[in-house]
Amino acid sequence: FAYQNARIIIVRAHLLLLLLAGTPLCAQDKYQSKDFPVRNAYHGTLAQVRMNTKTAKRFRTVIREQAKEGVNFAGHFRIVGWGCGLGCTTHAIVDIRTGQVYDVPYASVQAIPDVRIPDPLRESAEIIKQYSRFEFSIDSELLVIGVVFNDDVFGVRYYRWHDNHLNLLLELHPGVPPN
């Protein structure tokens, strides 16, 4: 089972390599953390986490446990995540001040896991790893994620956390110039 999942991911990585065709996807970031600053990070106590969404109810234990670690995103939020398969994670966002849980606008994010990769596909997988991203910080509203979303959409997405949800700013795909 794990071998089959690894093989699927490697095949996807190989296909992505073919799509890249020498076009850098993330060579210059259009958006950076400094473009969406958060001035005051919350350092108070954690509010009781509210199970206010289906996701929160289903993954309540992991969400509560990770929320205890405190703020890691956009001043007073915590991005929490859990595995959904080989190289796959899904997330929610917890407001540490209020305990409110917010769903994210994507089902999952997949990247090349750190597993032994068969020699014929190793070069492809290493290139794909360069594009694997999940970047955020306590002092910015920017979230950058890539490589594979919701099974087969390759690229990098830039989101801004604003008004209690992630707003898609830009989506880049291999071989397609940005707008």
Side-chain angles (χ1 to χ4, degrees), residues 153-179:
V153 179
F154 297 101
V156 175
R157 289 183 183 165
Y158 294 79
Y159 289 98
R160 179 183 182 197
W161 180 260
H162 191 71
D163 293 332
N164 293 325
H165 68 275
L166 289 171
N167 300 286
L168 182 62
L169 299 171
L170 179 67
E171 186 169 325
L172 300 175
H173 296 278
V176 179
N179 295 336

Side-chain angles (χ1 to χ4, degrees), residues 30-85:
K30 184 163 184 159
Y31 298 105
Q32 297 178 7
S33 291
K34 66 181 180 178
D35 297 329
F36 305 100
V38 172
R39 290 180 181 29
N40 298 317
Y42 180 71
H43 298 289
T45 59
L46 166 67
Q48 183 175 354
V49 178
R50 294 193 256 160
M51 300 301 127
N52 56 299
T53 68
K54 287 181 184 179
T55 300
K57 290 173 186 169
R58 185 170 179 197
F59 297 100
R60 63 186 168 271
T61 302
V62 70
I63 290 172
R64 281 184 184 133
E65 288 303 310
Q66 289 186 30
K68 290 176 186 176
E69 296 174 28
V71 176
N72 69 358
F73 176 61
H76 59 94
F77 297 92
R78 174 118 196 138
I79 294 180
V80 297
W82 52 93
C84 53

Side-chain angles (χ1 to χ4, degrees), residues 1-155:
F1 178 72
Y3 175 77
Q4 185 177 11
N5 283 341
R7 189 170 172 208
I8 289 168
I9 290 172
I10 298 302
V11 169
R12 288 178 181 169
H14 193 76
L15 290 172
L16 181 57
L17 175 66
L18 295 175
L19 290 172
L20 286 172
T23 304
L25 181 64
C26 308
Q28 288 188 336
D29 286 333
K30 184 163 184 159
Y31 298 105
Q32 297 178 7
S33 291
K34 66 181 180 178
D35 297 329
F36 305 100
V38 172
R39 290 180 181 29
N40 298 317
Y42 180 71
H43 298 289
T45 59
L46 166 67
Q48 183 175 354
V49 178
R50 294 193 256 160
M51 300 301 127
N52 56 299
T53 68
K54 287 181 184 179
T55 300
K57 290 173 186 169
R58 185 170 179 197
F59 297 100
R60 63 186 168 271
T61 302
V62 70
I63 290 172
R64 281 184 184 133
E65 288 303 310
Q66 289 186 30
K68 290 176 186 176
E69 296 174 28
V71 176
N72 69 358
F73 176 61
H76 59 94
F77 297 92
R78 174 118 196 138
I79 294 180
V80 297
W82 52 93
C84 53
L86 184 65
C88 174
T89 58
T90 193
H91 306 98
I93 298 174
V94 180
D95 187 328
I96 298 300
R97 291 189 307 196
T98 67
Q100 182 84 17
V101 177
Y102 299 94
D103 288 333
V104 294
Y106 53 88
S108 63
V109 175
Q110 293 181 340
I112 301 299
D114 289 326
V115 296
R116 188 178 183 295
I117 299 166
D119 288 335
L121 299 176
R122 185 168 293 136
E123 185 178 337
S124 300
E126 291 303 316
I127 290 171
I128 301 308
K129 281 184 182 183
Q130 293 175 24
Y131 295 98
S132 297
R133 302 173 74 179
F134 194 74
E135 301 170 7
F136 57 90
S137 69
I138 193 171
D139 58 356
S140 177
E141 295 177 338
L142 184 68
L143 171 65
V144 182
I145 56 176
V147 162
V148 183
F149 310 94
N150 305 335
D151 295 324
D152 289 318
V153 179
F154 297 101

